[in-house]
Amino acid sequence: MKPVLHGMRLMTRDRVACTDFYCTALGCSADQDGLRLGEQRIWLEVANGADYPQPRASNDPWFQHFAIVVSDIGAAFERASRHGATAISTVGPQLLPASSGGVTAWKFRDPEGHPLEFLQFPPDATPAHWQHRSGLFLGIDHTAIVIANTLASEAFYRTLGFERLAQTHNHGPAQAALDGLAAPQVLVTAIGIPGQAAPHLELLDYFSPAAATGSWSEADVAATRIVVNGAPSLTRDPDGHFIESISPAAP
């Protein structure tokens, strides 16, 4: 069976309120199973465990966001903020240096605490997959998870069919403002399914600052799941992030 990264499953206290935010603030469309954004899929499941942990930081071990490609990050920033998004980034959208990808990005949270990101590619460096899309919100580029050891995580995800796409060492003032952290040093490794343009997975290995410690269960609001085929029905990676397997026909 060919591996596929189908999308993500969000755990939510209130499906109706969650759906309303993602549709009005982020341009998703809703159906009986969840949400769509461009060609990508987000499923919703009611959480009956703990709320998203406090305090919240970009290098928490349970941190998982998904990044939405936008055509105008200023307009997307204004719309999301108006509908209840709260900023992770400290001073608005940040233009990252070429060594960190050269994109303009903004990290934020939905009303329940799930982290998210907007990405705008430079006009002359937009990946081919996004060049044919139109509108303000184009689709989901990737989901990113905080990890403790890049080699261990890559080895695990290779068993699910992922291969390395790129790697950067992100640091400096723009990264600090984007993450809302003091002097972050993070190794970002993009891994993906061969032949699948989007979404892919990013591994965030923070060397500094030191991360919080703690655990989270499959029923908690923080238990976002990567939805693939070819894995056990529900498993956890070396850092505790959830991977859920579904039938290829499910999307």
Side-chain angles (χ1 to χ4, degrees):
M1 179 186 299
K2 180 182 178 181
V4 177
L5 173 53
H6 294 291
M8 282 68 65
R9 185 181 299 276
L10 287 183
M11 306 298 290
T12 176
R13 288 276 185 237
D14 187 332
R15 286 177 60 101
V16 173
C18 186
T19 298
D20 180 66
F21 175 81
Y22 279 80
C23 291
T24 58
L26 308 180
C28 293
S29 60
D31 58 31
Q32 62 181 359
D33 295 320
L35 307 166
R36 288 187 181 273
L37 184 56
E39 299 170 354
Q40 288 73 51
R41 193 67 191 266
I42 308 161
W43 288 269
L44 301 177
E45 183 172 328
V46 174
N48 56 22
D51 290 335
Y52 207 95
Q54 296 275 8
R56 300 166 178 172
S58 295
N59 63 337
D60 288 333
W62 47 80
F63 182 94
Q64 178 173 356
H65 79 239
F66 59 86
I68 298 169
V69 180
V70 298
S71 58
D72 181 338
I73 200 166
F77 166 81
E78 189 280 330
R79 178 167 164 175
S81 300
R82 179 161 37 90
H83 287 287
T86 57
I88 295 173
S89 302
T90 55
V91 287
Q94 292 296 305
L95 174 61
L96 299 182
S99 61
S100 299
V103 300
T104 302
W106 181 60
K107 290 183 179 180
F108 61 101
R109 294 183 186 274
D110 73 11
E112 289 189 283
H114 302 108
L116 296 145
E117 183 178 37
F118 286 151
L119 291 179
Q120 183 173 353
F121 292 103
D124 60 350
T126 301
H129 177 75
W130 300 112
Q131 292 177 11
H132 72 286
R133 305 294 302 175
S134 61
L136 179 57
F137 304 102
L138 307 184
I140 299 172
D141 181 72
H142 65 268
T143 182
I145 56 176
V146 170
I147 61 160
N149 184 290
T150 297
L151 292 179
S153 291
E154 281 196 279
F156 172 84
Y157 282 100
R158 274 197 299 271
T159 69
L160 302 181
F162 288 78
E163 297 180 3
R164 184 186 291 192
L165 304 175
Q167 189 174 71
T168 59
H169 177 203
N170 294 10
H171 56 93
Q175 189 68 39
L178 176 65
D179 287 347
L181 296 172
Q185 297 273 346
V186 55
L187 184 65
V188 181
T189 305
I191 60 175
I193 304 294
Q196 181 178 349
H200 64 271
L201 177 61
E202 290 193 355
L203 310 175
L204 309 179
D205 190 349
Y206 281 88
F207 305 143
S208 65
T213 60
S215 61
W216 64 107
S217 78
E218 63 186 79
D220 292 351
V221 175
T224 301
R225 303 173 188 177
I226 301 164
V227 181
V228 300
N229 60 270
S233 57
L234 185 63
T235 189
R236 303 185 81 161
D237 74 3
D239 297 281
H241 299 286
F242 289 96
I243 300 100
E244 177 182 349
S245 182
I246 63 172
S247 163

